[in-house]
């Protein structure tokens, strides 16, 4: 993991995490330059490296400022941008009362430098609106926490399963004063990828719906990258079932027009991004009947899993399987043992009598 490679200032944030294999490398690049975004690049070289032209990246024309060296080692690339944060009132039907939208490209973000943990490969990006006339963020902020997801169980929300070749993102906020009664937050994600995006869903062992966005190549039936999350957010830093808040995702649709504040994407994919790449947009909202949790706690956290290949299946952990096996197996073993003892006792009782001729 490296922070602002080749740049000594901490006035901007660019976090590069590499996963190196015997014959390939996976690059994850998180940035708050413009709107918060993450770039995912897979290469066929174990020595591929990220290059940044900082002068060009911070200029009004960042196209070509970020690339992978050697360029011909790149086999696939995609990106996700978090563009908007909006609030709506549940006092009226959804869509009738929306508060002014927050553009995340206009937020002021703290430096990642003091939150970096090079051992655990974690970091936290925290920001507030550059201008906040209504004071909605007076006592709170919006944060993105990043940590790897290789193996085991997530320390984040919902005990998401871990697997190789992936990264995790967790958002929390806003925790501020309310603009109105019964407000609920929502967000907009804009994904870019080589190929089409499709939406899938399933059910995890906890009963919550499991949603996935898969990038599919026109030349292959297997997905190349994915986003995955449970249809639940939480109203506390330590997720508990009673703190659950329903998470809903709207329909995936084609994004029209330019990308707001997508500096990192323009820097990597170039000025022809809107015409040469497939752009899709998705709205995610939180609330519903559990909206009172957010109204009471003024805290909301939600986790997303990003990675390459097939999204992992949410299964019971070995510990849960062991406990279940013991809980179900012990009564069954006692029943079998008791049956054997009863049969043995009956056999001994009647063995004292001689057969009648």
């Amino acid at each position: 993991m490296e922070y602002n490679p080749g740049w000594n200032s901490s006035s901007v944030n660019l976090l590069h995490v590499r996963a190196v294999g015997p014959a390939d490398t996976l690059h994850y690049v998180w940035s708050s330059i413009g709107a918060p975004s993450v770039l995912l690049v897979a290469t066929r070289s174990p020595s591929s490296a990220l290059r940044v032209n900082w002068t060009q990246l911070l200029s009004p024309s960042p196209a070509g400022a970020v690339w992978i060296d050697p360029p011909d080692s790149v086999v696939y690339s995609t990106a996700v941008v978090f563009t908007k944060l909006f609030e709506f009132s549940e006092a009226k039907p959804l869509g009738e009362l929306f508060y002014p939208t927050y553009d995340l490209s206009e937020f002021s973000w703290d430096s990642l430098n003091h939150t970096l943990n090079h051992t655990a490969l974690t970091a936290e990006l925290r920001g507030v609106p550059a201008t906040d006339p209504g004071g909605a963020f007076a006592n709170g902020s919006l944060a993105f926490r990043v940590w790897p997801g290789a193996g085991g169980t997530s320390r984040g929300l919902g005990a998401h399963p871990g697997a190789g070749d992936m990264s995790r993102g967790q958002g929390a906020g806003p925790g501020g004063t309310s603009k109105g009664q019964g407000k609920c937050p929502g967000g907009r994600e804009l994904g870019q990828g080589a190929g089409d995006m499709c939406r899938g869903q399933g059910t995890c062992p906890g009963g919550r719906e499991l949603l996935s966005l898969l990038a599919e190549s026109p030349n292959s039936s297997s997905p190349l990258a994915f986003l995955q999350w449970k249809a639940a957010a939480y109203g506390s830093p330590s997720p508990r079932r009673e703190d659950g808040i329903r998470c809903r995702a709207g329909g995936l649709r084609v994004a029209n027009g330019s990308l707001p504040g997508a500096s990192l994407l323009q820097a990597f994919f170039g000025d022809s991004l809107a015409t040469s790449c497939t752009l899709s947009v998705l709205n995610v909202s939180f609330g519903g009947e559990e909206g009172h949790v957010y109204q009471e706690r003024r805290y909301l956290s939600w986790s997303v899993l990003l990675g390459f290949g097939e999204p992992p299946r949410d299964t019971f952990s070995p510990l849960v399987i062991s406990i279940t096996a013991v809980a179900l197996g012990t009564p069954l073993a006692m029943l079998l043992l008791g049956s054997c003892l009863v049969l043995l006792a009956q056999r001994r009782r009647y063995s004292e009598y001689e057969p009648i001729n």
Side-chain angles (χ1 to χ4, degrees):
M1 183 172 69
E2 51 185 349
Y3 173 66
N4 287 353
W7 187 253
N8 295 325
S9 173
S10 59
S11 59
V12 294
N13 294 300
L14 191 145
L15 181 67
H16 176 219
V17 182
R18 285 195 309 156
V20 182
D24 54 13
T25 303
L26 303 177
H27 298 266
Y28 296 86
V29 185
W30 291 81
S31 174
S32 64
I33 302 173
S37 53
V38 55
L39 172 68
L40 295 83
V41 183
T43 71
R44 62 167 61 92
S45 170
S47 59
S48 60
L50 177 73
R51 306 298 183 193
V52 181
N53 183 330
W54 283 98
T55 302
Q56 187 175 355
L57 177 61
L58 300 178
S59 70
S61 302
V66 176
W67 70 97
I68 298 294
D69 190 22
D72 58 359
S73 66
V74 177
V75 294
Y76 177 70
S77 58
T78 189
V80 178
V81 186
F82 299 90
T83 59
K84 303 285 185 181
L85 176 67
F86 53 89
E87 293 174 308
F88 61 90
S89 173
E90 288 188 320
K92 294 184 179 181
L94 182 62
E96 287 192 9
L97 180 56
F98 275 86
Y99 297 107
T101 302
Y102 293 105
D103 189 339
L104 298 189
S105 65
E106 298 177 356
F107 269 46
S108 175
W109 301 96
D110 295 341
S111 173
L112 277 171
N113 199 28
H114 66 278
T115 67
L116 294 180
N117 186 324
H118 290 272
T119 302
L121 300 180
T122 61
E124 180 175 304
L125 179 66
R126 185 175 295 273
V128 296
T131 58
D132 186 19
F137 276 74
N139 299 319
S141 60
L142 177 67
F144 289 89
R145 302 187 185 106
V146 182
W147 69 94
T153 302
S154 168
R155 296 166 297 154
L157 308 178
H160 212 303
D165 305 341
M166 61 184 64
S167 178
R168 301 182 190 276
Q170 174 182 329
T177 58
S178 176
K179 295 177 181 176
Q181 296 299 322
K183 72 170 184 176
C184 288
R188 173 170 295 175
E189 299 176 19
L190 193 147
Q192 181 282 329
D196 296 327
M197 298 291 291
C198 68
R199 175 179 166 179
Q201 64 185 56
T203 303
C204 56
R208 288 287 188 176
E209 189 179 17
L210 197 62
L211 302 175
S212 302
L213 285 180
L214 311 178
E216 295 183 334
S217 170
N219 301 323
S220 174
S221 59
S222 61
L224 301 177
F226 67 86
L227 274 76
Q228 189 179 67
W229 66 93
K230 291 181 180 179
Y234 294 89
S236 66
S238 301
R240 298 174 301 176
R241 181 173 294 274
E242 57 266 29
D243 298 326
I245 300 173
R246 178 172 295 185
C247 167
R248 294 181 175 90
L252 189 68
R253 61 185 187 275
V254 176
N256 297 320
S258 60
L259 303 182
S263 299
L264 180 62
L265 274 68
Q266 294 169 352
F268 184 81
F269 295 102
D271 291 329
S272 61
L273 171 64
T275 57
S276 61
C277 300
T278 301
L279 304 177
S280 303
V281 65
L282 175 74
N283 287 347
V284 180
S285 61
F286 311 93
E289 60 271 22
E290 303 97 345
H292 66 277
V293 177
Y294 176 74
Q295 297 167 25
E296 295 172 357
R297 308 287 180 82
R298 296 298 180 211
Y299 185 93
L300 184 141
S301 54
W302 175 62
S303 64
V304 177
L305 191 66
L306 303 92
F308 295 90
E310 292 281 354
R313 297 181 180 274
D314 203 352
T315 58
F316 290 105
S317 67
L319 178 61
V320 173
I321 295 175
S322 301
I323 294 175
T324 304
V326 171
L328 297 179
T330 301
L332 181 61
M334 294 178 65
L335 180 62
L336 292 175
L337 180 61
S339 300
C340 293
L341 292 176
V342 170
L343 291 175
L344 183 60
Q346 290 179 343
R347 188 169 230 184
R348 287 181 176 178
R349 178 180 176 183
Y350 293 105
S351 62
E352 298 175 0
Y353 296 91
E354 294 295 330
I356 298 177
N357 189 347

